[in-house]
């Protein structure tokens, strides 16, 4: 476990190269400061006046010189070794740095023609930053070369690994803020190295940017001893290199020397694995870069130290208007970079510096991996109809729906094995979620020690299991953003762990809608299973269907929610999701044995419409219905149909219309969502005046939220999860939430005018049923046979002797 | 940095002690298996029959023997050193273990009299587990001695540290699953040691339970080499002790010896710090306990290995009904613990074993720290009215509201310094959120290296800042659950990072409502600031008010949401929250300079009512209003009043009623929430037929969700955040979301019948204003002076020459 504590200073840079490299860095720093402050006089040809300063000073200086330092050194490295590299900027608030560098290398102006590489362009570059109608202050989707916004800190390293998987030629440069490193997601991301296989995957070079501070506090990692730091990263499985100092010339030598060594080392690891096959996990290099926060900025302002303190985090000189001294300091600061040595009189970077940048797609701002849509290949998909569960008689056959989905996903995996562009993620729940079949064609991947006893684990599997929802999500995001496909299955309740990551990804997608050069990427597909209604054995903590509410808050054009009630609809929906682009698709479906409703043809039609009357379950055809019984979700569908059965046996004349909703978005007005039903259609299906009893998978309010503008909303009565539950029986879960067949039937009796007077007897039967239920489960510990064995009896199938409609 | 790789086997246990310890452990294991399987014949006095087996086998065996092993060794330790200890069970699904142990020590029966320490009691103990009407399968609130449910994995260590802070006598035993250790939250929790001060805080002994597997996969940590593991934990700042093996006798000796050594070491650290003052962070011991998953359970079932594999995770023998061999194996397994040696014929634990448990409050199931309400002391609170911002003329004075709150919190801190029961948490945002004043009386705490340049940081501060929302939340939960008080300030958007932790805490509180012996604890108080409407400089990623939607999904009796529009209402609300019990309180308030509306007397009345007509802003007194303009949140209130101003200047005859909502819960029907307004009151305030224009802080649907049952809901028109935003000006943020004064005025014109025909001219003025705005911000980079400088002019104050109502 030898560790090169820091590379012996070998001065790999000749004097001229050093001087140029430093000049390039100064140019990047100059442009970064310019973006934060200036709206005119970009080259400081005239003395700086307050009119040339932006009225609102927004931006983060502190992190930026370090980010620039890394960028310019990677330019050198890319050229020298012809590397294929993208740059992930953990502290994304250092946006000016990435913008400055992509501007210097030319990739910025190629995307944004207005921002030319001359004085006027530079002026516009400065002006637009953090300015109304301009660009965001972070490394946003607008930033060429970025796949990571970094606004919410913590996901850089997971994104980096996600990008590196299945990209053997890619080396991801990943800068991690020392503050960012304190986040949970980042702290566990280091372990991603146990899932990377140098034979087929690219490399990640993590650079922990130890600039000592976050917003107002020192960072935890900066205040650990070098011994502890070294030990920590060795423990995480890396070989840490320290690059520490504040003298630019020495730091350039040290950084260049270290990077040279590291590239050789990484290439050695890869060569070895690719020639002899992967043998065992190597200690990959990583860099601990200790530089002053706000390096090269003002040392002291108003008597307070700035450089190398937390005070440099945002805008070091902020009182330019009221304090002329500040204005002079800003000018001096910018001039300290000697712009006249860097740009010619037209404002163009001098050619001897410009040549330091790589060219074409090798520029980090132009690398196609950072614009995944460019590289995206369609998945090869088997015909999902092949996996259909035969359903001749509706509601009579039981199947574990997600297990069927697993068979489909298995073959999706198989068909794309050669393309190496499909992965499946799960927090140790792949089999628990019944997707076992996938493992028949691809193992779980693990590059730590594997024992003979382990089940379907190997170094080249494509199923990624780790007990971290953050890593599943972060890896998948990185994988998708670099142009590949994936599928994430998760216990429904615990998907909330990545609520905020979902938010950020949806926002990223949303922003991309307006960025023409960003081509569409594959959708992020969630399967939420082990859901609230069948978490009766794990209890209350495992019961939360609220992710849908989080999803619904995002812009309609990037989100889709599906609640397929059975296996065939699940197949149809999954196929659709895997073909789609630029969405977040959420599929909620159960893993327990459940009754199957639709044959494949009906399933496809139903899913295509998104919502529809189930005629075979309704008896109002040719009549006005007395009540509409709507349902969304597998368990609510079951309970609704059982309630219909109960009601029909008690009230043969009652006209019931059964509506099932697969695509939740159809409920919204057309004006709110592209899938939304027109009011005319909606009224025709849900009527304008009949009671609607809606059994919903999630929190009931969501249905109100979607439908409150609809004509018949006042007659809509929704049942769903109301935070009742514990370790109990499956049926008891629906009973305690009033979502069971008996409560639903009771709701109908309460709301259908003609039953109100005659209903008392039936209500008493219902009451007794619920008491029976209660007593039975306490005595037997499981549900009543009449509940467990209930099947639909009015099916339309021909194979039966029972009643048909 | 010497590390005791593993303690030399010193055999500290004499033969008899060893034998008893092992017997006690066997008793715990026996009772654990019994809970999973049996409903009768608890002592196996008769041959086991299938009728005595539960119909549904629910529970997790794999983790349990290890949990039991640790528990019984802690019993020994507590007795030997008179330790004050609570037990945190990271893999909470090992619920049977904690139940078994608290039953053995007697604390269980004291809480649940029905579960007696005899054969009948044991039968009930077995029967109730994971059974309808019984107890949950996890270490839930129902479990004596637990402050940690462990259903959602990842928070054990943060909870443990939270419990240890300010509890100098407490030693927290914290068992961490090796799967759990992969989660983000857990991975960063190890760094909590940099915030623990042995002079005033207790100790945490983390025990990483390396049983090798999670549900279906090996764990990442179990497949690291011992060298890497050691290095990792040394890097985290610990001194790891390895306790590895599967031979019970050897393992008992090893564990006992290790724990003896560790207790001495911890006590040494504490003694040293308490005698000589805290000098520098010590390497606290931690244990890496490597035992087989499912230890002592079936070795092989149906030809597949079980013990020491992932297959032991849940129920190793599952086909008891169909396979008589399984039944025999279960019987053999249970008999292997030799119940006859453990329990007398009445089913009572033999006295020579019972005496191994500590007694009274020293029993981990009875330790009052695990029932924080028992220890809770009221906070001493200053009179919040003292901090009032003088407001004589409404809407004319600007203040940063959270800065005023900071002054109040400073004095709360000061008044309770001696009681050591109040802490403030923030993810590096305390000052950014303008709570700077607190630092005048208490520093930030840090026990890593502190430099002279650092700002208000010391080893005994009570402000906890770390860039991890997970740690802030986890520490605070642990702190509250052990009977103390706290306050968590956070950027609004990033509180989503702990959505799922909030969910779990709210569920915990909810469950406690039904557990009489759990006394109420202090509420968990959030201040969400740097909110969506004033994150114009950080842009889109920092804009998300959706936490409120998450909160609203939980049971009404444990949640409260407040949106104070100014400093005085914020003070009143904060005071109320700090006094409350057993809630999660969410306060949303801005940190930017904003107009102040209410003097303190009015503020108190307004907050007490929760919602009210602002008479001074309305002009409908004595008339029917033409429109109700409602608002909730500081920025929406500002925009609403500016809209009222605009409308009144254009339509002096228009009767406008202004309603402000502080307490969001008042909007709900009384049947849904204790704070809900009666329909009568609601109708009287919002009218039954006038248009309501509601300007809301969050996503607009939330207001519909709360009010859809109200009479006048059909006339309710809500504006709020609709996912529009970037880096722009503050006013532009409201404009792009149609929440600005002009859009609101326009909404009124569109909806008030009498303006519909005459409104065209005013609508054109509005259109022009919005164009002016757009042009102005692009040209000047800041908002129009008429917007920036707008003040209310109809104030009721006496000090003015302007119009009053
Ligand atoms: C999850 C999250 N919490 C809080 C913040 C607020 N915030 C913005 S920058 C910052 C400090 C970042 O420090 P570091 O990662 O060290 O970056 P650098 O020093 O390079 O600026 C914080 C806490 C955030 N952006 N994300
Ligand atoms: C955050 C979270 N994700 C997923 C799960 C589902 N789950 C339940 S137990 C378990 C494995 C736990 O493994 P470990 O922590 O090693 O516990 P042990 O081996 O002691 O059972 C998983 C993944 C969960 N409970 N919490
Ligand atoms: Mg930093
Ligand atoms: Mg384990």
């Amino acid at each position: 476990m030898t560790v090169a504590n820091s590379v012996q200073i070998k001065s790999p840079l000749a004097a001229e190269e050093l001087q140029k490299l430093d000049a390039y860095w100064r140019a990047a720093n100059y442009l970064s400061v310019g973006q934060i402050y200036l709206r005119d006089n970009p080259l400081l040809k005239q003395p700086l006046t307050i009119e040339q300063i932006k009225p609102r000073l927004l931006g983060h200086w502190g992190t930026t010189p370090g980010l620039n330092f890394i960028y310019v050194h990677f330019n050198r490295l890319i050229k020298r070794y012809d590397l294929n590299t993208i740059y992930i900027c953990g502290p994304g608030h250092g946006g000016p740095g990435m913008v400055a560098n992509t501007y210097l290398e030319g990739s910025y102006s190629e995307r944004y023609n207005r921002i030319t590489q001359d004085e006027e362009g530079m002026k516009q570059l400065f002006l637009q930053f953090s300015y109304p109608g301009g660009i965001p202050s972070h490394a946003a989707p607008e930033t060429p070369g970025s796949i990571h916004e970094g606004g919410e800190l913590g996901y850089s390293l997971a994104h980096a690994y996600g990008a590196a998987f299945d990209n053997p030629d890619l080396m991801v440069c990943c800068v991690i803020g020392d503050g960012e490193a304190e986040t949970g997601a980042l702290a566990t991301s280091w372990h991603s190295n146990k899932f990377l296989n140098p034979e087929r995957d690219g490399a990640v070079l993590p650079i922990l940017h130890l600039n000592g501070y976050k917003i107002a506090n020192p960072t935890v990692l900066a205040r650990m001893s070098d011994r502890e730091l070294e030990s920590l990263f060795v423990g995480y499985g890396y070989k840490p290199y320290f690059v520490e100092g504040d003298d630019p010339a020495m730091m350039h030598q040290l950084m260049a020397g270290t990077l040279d060594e590291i590239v050789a080392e990484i290439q050695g690891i890869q060569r070895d694995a690719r020639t002899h096959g992967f043998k065992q996990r190597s200690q990959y290099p990583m860099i601990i870069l200790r530089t002053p926060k706000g390096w090269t900025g003002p040392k002291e302002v108003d008597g307070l130290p700035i450089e190398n303190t937390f005070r440099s985090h945002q805008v070091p000189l902020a009182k330019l208007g009221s304090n002329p001294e500040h204005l002079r300091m800003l000018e001096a600061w910018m001039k300290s970079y000697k712009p006249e040595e860097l740009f010619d009189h037209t404002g163009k970077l001098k050619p001897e510096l410009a040549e330091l940048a790589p060219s074409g797609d090798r520029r980090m701002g132009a690398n196609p991996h950072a614009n995944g849509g460019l590289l995206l290949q369609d998945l090869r998909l088997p015909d999902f109809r092949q996996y259909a569960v035969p359903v001749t008689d509706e509601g009579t056959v039981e199947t574990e729906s997600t297990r069927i989905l697993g068979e489909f996903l298995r073959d999706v995996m198989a068909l794309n094995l050669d393309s190496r562009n499909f992965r499946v993620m799960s927090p140790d729940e792949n089999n628990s979620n019944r997707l076992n079949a996938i493992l028949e064609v691809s193992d779980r991947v693990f590059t730590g020690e594997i024992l003979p006893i382990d089940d379907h684990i190997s170094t080249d599997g494509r199923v990624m299991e780790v007990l971290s929802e953050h890593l599943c999500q972060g890896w998948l995001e990185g994988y998708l953003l670099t142009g590949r496909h994936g599928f994430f299955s998760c216990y429904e309740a615990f998907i909330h762990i990545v609520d905020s990551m979902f938010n950020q990804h949806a926002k990223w997608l949303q922003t991309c809608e307006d960025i023409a050069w960003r081509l569409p990427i594959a959708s992020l597909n969630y399967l939420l299973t082990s859901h609230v209604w069948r978490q009766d054995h794990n209890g209350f903590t495992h019961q939360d269907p609220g992710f849908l509410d989080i999803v619904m808050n995002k812009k309609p054009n990037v989100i889709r929610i599906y609640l397929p009630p059975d296996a065939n609809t699940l197949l149809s929906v999954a196929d659709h999701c895997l073909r789609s682009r630029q969405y977040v698709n959420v599929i909620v479906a159960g893993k327990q044995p459940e009754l199957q409703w639709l044959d494949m043809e009906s399933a496809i039609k139903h899913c295509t419409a998104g919502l529809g009357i189930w005629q075979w379950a309704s008896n109002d055809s040719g009549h006005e219905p007395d009540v509409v019984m709507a349902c969304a979700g597998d368990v609510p569908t079951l309970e609704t149909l059982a309630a219909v059965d109960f009601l029909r046996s008690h009230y043969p004349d009652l006209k019931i219309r059964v509506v099932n909703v697969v695509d939740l978005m159809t409920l919204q007005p057309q004006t709110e969502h592209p899938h939304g039903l027109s009011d005319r259609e909606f009224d025709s299906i849900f009527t304008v005046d009949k009671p609607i009893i809606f059994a919903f998978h999630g929190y009931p309010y969501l249905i109100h939220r979607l439908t409150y503008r609809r004509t018949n909303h006042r007659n809509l009565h929704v049942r769903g999860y109301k935070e009742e539950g514990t370790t109990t029986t499956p049926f008891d879960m629906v009973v305690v939430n009033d979502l069971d067949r008996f409560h639903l039937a009771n709701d109908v009796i309460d709301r259908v005018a003609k039953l109100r007077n005659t209903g008392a007897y039936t209500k008493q039967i219902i009451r007794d049923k619920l008491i029976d239920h209660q007593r039975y489960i306490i005595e037997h510990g499981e549900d009543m046979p009449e509940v467990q064995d209930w099947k639909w009896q009015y099916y339309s199938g021909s194979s039966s002797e029972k009643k048909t409609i």
Side-chain angles (χ1 to χ4, degrees), chain A:
Chain A
M1 215 186 281
T2 39
V3 168
N5 221 15
S6 92
V7 169
Q8 292 310 311
I9 299 202
K10 293 198 217 83
S11 303
L13 304 170
E16 193 193 326
E17 197 186 357
L18 168 62
Q19 182 271 323
K20 282 189 191 171
L21 198 70
D22 188 64
Y24 199 104
W25 180 46
R26 284 186 279 125
N29 288 338
Y30 180 84
L31 294 178
S32 301
V33 184
Q35 289 176 75
I36 296 175
Y37 285 100
L38 301 192
R39 59 173 171 183
D40 208 346
N41 194 11
L43 288 166
L44 295 182
K45 286 181 175 169
Q46 299 88 38
L48 192 59
T49 66
I50 188 67
E51 291 70 34
Q52 292 156 356
I53 305 295
K54 299 185 185 185
R56 303 172 75 221
L57 298 176
L58 309 177
H60 295 79
W61 163 247
T63 190
T64 307
L67 295 176
N68 288 340
F69 182 80
I70 296 164
Y71 203 104
V72 302
H73 275 273
F74 259 85
N75 279 348
R76 169 180 170 276
L77 218 60
I78 291 168
K79 284 198 71 155
R80 193 174 160 124
Y81 301 97
D82 190 29
L83 298 183
N84 184 0
T85 295
I86 63 171
Y87 181 92
I88 293 196
C89 177
H93 47 274
M98 274 196 91
V99 171
N101 273 292
T102 50
Y103 176 76
L104 287 174
E105 74 190 18
S107 57
Y108 202 91
S109 305
E110 287 166 22
R111 306 269 184 239
Y112 303 102
N113 300 331
R114 212 172 45 87
I115 310 293
T116 44
Q117 289 181 304
D118 55 18
E119 187 169 358
E120 179 56 24
M122 195 188 291
K123 178 177 153 180
Q124 294 301 331
L125 181 82
F126 290 177
L127 183 61
Q128 69 168 4
F129 175 78
S130 275
Y131 198 83
I135 62 167
S137 57
H138 293 194
E142 287 87 344
T143 317
S146 177
I147 61 162
H148 174 84
E149 147 96 41
E152 180 172 304
L153 295 163
Y155 315 125
S156 58
L157 194 53
H159 284 165
Y161 275 97
F165 295 137
D166 291 319
N167 268 329
D169 296 336
L170 192 65
M171 180 178 307
V172 184
C173 164
C174 180
V175 190
I176 299 148
D178 49 354
E180 182 189 12
E182 296 172 18
T183 63
L186 205 293
T188 199
S189 293
W190 299 104
H191 287 300
S192 305
N193 56 3
K194 281 107 195 171
F195 300 84
L196 187 100
N197 177 345
E199 210 181 332
R200 61 171 187 179
D201 298 325
V204 173
L205 176 58
I207 302 179
L208 178 66
H209 188 199
L210 226 53
N211 63 12
Y213 295 91
K214 31 197 198 249
I215 298 181
N217 283 275
T219 62
V220 168
L221 281 93
R223 297 300 170 82
M224 287 163 54
S225 66
D226 280 2
R227 300 287 317 249
E228 275 189 352
L229 275 174
E230 177 184 321
S231 192
L232 182 65
F233 290 105
V234 169
Y236 272 126
Y238 296 86
K239 177 171 171 187
Y241 286 82
F242 285 85
V243 176
E244 314 193 21
D246 57 8
D247 174 63
M250 273 187 50
M251 285 295 282
H252 286 307
Q253 294 288 11
L254 195 53
M255 186 71 168
T258 305
L259 286 173
D260 285 344
E261 191 161 325
I262 280 176
V263 168
E265 218 167 301
I266 291 177
Q267 291 182 335
I269 293 172
Q270 293 182 333
R271 201 168 31 240
D272 197 48
R274 291 169 196 180
T275 346
H276 307 107
F278 176 79
K279 291 286 184 302
Q280 66 165 31
R281 177 164 59 87
S282 310
Q283 257 190 318
Y284 276 90
M286 58 89 61
I287 293 179
I288 298 176
L289 176 66
R290 214 186 264 273
T291 70
K293 191 154 183 171
W295 196 13
T296 73
K299 300 239 176 304
E300 212 184 280
V301 176
D302 301 337
L304 289 172
I306 303 295
E307 193 195 36
N308 206 14
T309 80
F310 62 91
R311 292 192 191 82
S312 66
H313 182 65
Q314 290 191 336
V315 180
L317 294 159
K319 303 195 200 104
L320 301 177
S322 56
N323 188 339
E325 175 62 17
H326 279 203
L327 188 64
R328 271 193 301 279
M329 287 173 75
L330 171 61
E331 189 167 23
W333 171 17
M334 292 194 70
K335 288 212 157 149
S336 75
Y337 299 121
K338 309 207 180 91
E340 66 288 353
E341 293 179 6
L342 313 173
F343 305 98
D344 67 20
H345 68 285
T346 71
K348 203 175 160 61
L349 184 67
K350 296 207 167 155
E352 66 273 23
L353 298 184
E355 75 183 18
L356 294 194
S359 55
D361 282 0
R362 288 304 198 216
R363 292 169 302 173
M364 289 188 284
N367 192 306
H369 291 289
N371 184 8
L374 280 173
L375 304 174
L376 185 65
Q377 303 284 325
D378 288 348
L379 272 183
R380 299 173 60 200
L381 292 175
D383 184 348
F384 66 93
R385 286 169 293 201
Q386 234 168 274
Y387 308 87
V389 177
V391 177
T392 39
D393 300 337
E394 295 90 351
T396 57
V397 184
E398 282 203 337
T399 297
E400 295 160 322
S401 298
T402 59
R403 200 179 287 284
I404 305 293
L405 175 69
E407 293 168 12
F408 173 60
L409 290 175
R410 172 196 62 210
D411 295 347
V412 176
M413 183 63 89
L415 280 174
N416 297 281
L417 276 181
D418 291 344
S419 332
R420 303 183 160 280
N421 64 346
F422 182 59
R423 293 204 183 211
V424 173
M425 322 275 162
S426 183
D428 189 28
E429 296 161 359
N430 185 74
N431 284 11
S432 169
N433 294 336
R434 310 283 194 265
L435 303 180
N436 314 47
I438 307 176
L439 298 176
E440 295 167 18
V441 301
S442 182
D443 288 324
R444 299 154 167 135
V445 59
F446 190 57
T447 52
E449 196 192 357
I450 297 178
L451 301 181
I453 209 171
D454 294 337
D455 177 43
H456 288 97
I457 306 190
S458 71
T459 57
D460 63 356
R462 315 188 64 73
V463 176
M464 309 201 67
E465 296 218 60
V466 60
L467 212 175
S468 164
E469 288 75 7
H470 289 109
L471 279 182
C472 292
Q473 173 84 18
W475 289 343
L476 181 54
E477 288 177 1
Y479 200 67
L480 298 176
L481 286 162
T482 48
R484 282 80 63 76
H485 304 262
F487 196 89
F488 179 2
S489 86
C490 191
Y491 286 3
E492 181 184 49
F494 300 149
I495 197 69
H496 276 300
I497 291 172
V498 295
D499 277 1
S500 61
M501 295 182 79
F502 153 78
N503 277 343
Q504 299 302 338
H505 188 69
K507 279 174 181 277
W508 177 282
L509 293 177
Q510 168 61 21
T511 303
C512 291
E513 301 268 303
D514 299 326
I515 304 174
W517 59 266
R518 287 229 177 243
L519 301 192
I521 59 168
S523 301
L524 196 161
N525 301 309
Y526 293 105
L527 170 70
L528 306 188
T529 182
S530 306
H531 63 52
V532 50
W533 302 112
R534 293 294 185 265
Q535 276 289 6
D536 41 286
H537 55 295
N538 272 312
F540 199 35
T541 52
H542 286 51
Q543 297 160 358
D544 190 309
F547 187 63
L548 303 186
D549 300 274
I550 283 286
V551 172
M552 278 304 306
N553 282 342
K554 293 291 156 274
K555 279 267 184 179
N557 52 332
V558 295
I559 56 159
R560 300 290 184 269
I561 298 175
Y562 300 98
L563 296 143
D566 66 2
N568 289 339
T569 47
L570 175 59
L571 285 167
S572 170
V573 161
D575 176 78
H576 183 76
C577 292
L578 287 173
R579 292 172 193 277
S580 75
R581 298 283 181 269
Q582 209 68 10
Y583 299 149
V584 175
N585 293 308
V586 184
I587 308 173
V588 186
K591 70 180 186 183
Q592 301 293 352
E594 57 186 12
L595 290 173
Q596 301 294 310
W597 309 107
L598 302 185
D599 63 31
M600 189 45 96
E601 267 320 293
S602 317
I604 294 173
K605 285 195 191 114
H606 187 49
C607 293
T608 308
L611 157 171
I613 300 178
W614 277 5
Q615 199 177 336
W616 52 268
S618 310
N619 64 352
D620 69 325
S621 179
H623 300 266
E624 279 215 312
D626 296 309
V627 61
V628 177
M629 298 200 65
C631 45
D634 51 6
V635 169
T637 299
L638 168 68
E639 292 306 318
T640 294
L641 291 189
V644 170
D645 184 11
F646 177 91
L647 286 165
R648 282 170 66 171
S649 69
H650 285 83
Y651 302 107
D653 293 340
L654 188 70
K655 297 296 173 210
I656 304 178
R657 173 177 298 179
V658 176
V659 176
N660 185 270
V661 181
V662 177
D663 174 352
L664 214 55
M665 304 300 160
T666 54
L667 294 176
Q668 289 188 97
Q670 231 169 5
T671 49
E672 297 286 320
H673 195 280
H675 291 190
L677 242 57
S678 71
D679 276 336
R680 194 173 302 218
E681 279 174 283
F682 192 96
D683 290 352
S684 134
I685 291 172
F686 287 96
T687 80
V688 294
D689 53 1
K690 302 294 180 241
I692 309 167
I693 308 297
F694 199 124
F696 179 48
H697 172 85
Y699 294 99
Y701 314 97
L702 184 56
I703 298 300
H704 288 293
R705 164 178 171 171
L706 294 171
T707 57
Y708 70 89
R709 287 194 197 288
R710 301 295 192 174
T711 321
N712 199 17
H713 179 257
R714 70 187 174 289
N715 290 312
L716 177 66
H717 178 72
V718 188
R719 295 291 183 184
Y721 185 61
K722 49 174 198 163
E723 286 288 317
E724 293 286 346
T726 178
T727 317
T728 185
T729 69
F731 187 63
D732 198 43
M733 272 301 300
V734 283
V735 170
V736 294
N737 287 285
D738 302 345
L739 182 78
D740 61 286
R741 52 200 70 179
F742 302 119
H743 278 99
L744 293 176
N746 202 58
D747 287 338
V748 170
I749 299 171
D750 283 343
R751 278 167 186 79
V752 172
K754 71 178 184 195
L755 301 185
R756 234 170 258 152
N757 295 330
T758 60
Y761 292 96
T762 322
K763 284 172 77 90
Q764 208 149 308
I765 294 173
I766 288 174
R767 190 202 58 192
D768 291 347
K769 285 278 181 211
L770 288 169
I771 294 172
D772 289 349
H773 155 73
Q774 190 57 30
R775 274 213 306 250
Y776 190 94
I777 61 170
I778 301 251
E779 198 179 321
H780 298 91
E782 57 184 349
D783 287 320
M784 301 187 289
E786 70 170 281
V787 167
Q788 286 201 53
D789 303 339
W790 179 88
K791 291 192 170 35
W792 182 247
Q793 54 170 319
Y794 302 94
Y795 47 77
S796 54
S798 51
S799 63
S800 103
E801 298 135 53
K802 294 209 201 156
K803 315 177 225 174
T804 56
I805 45 168

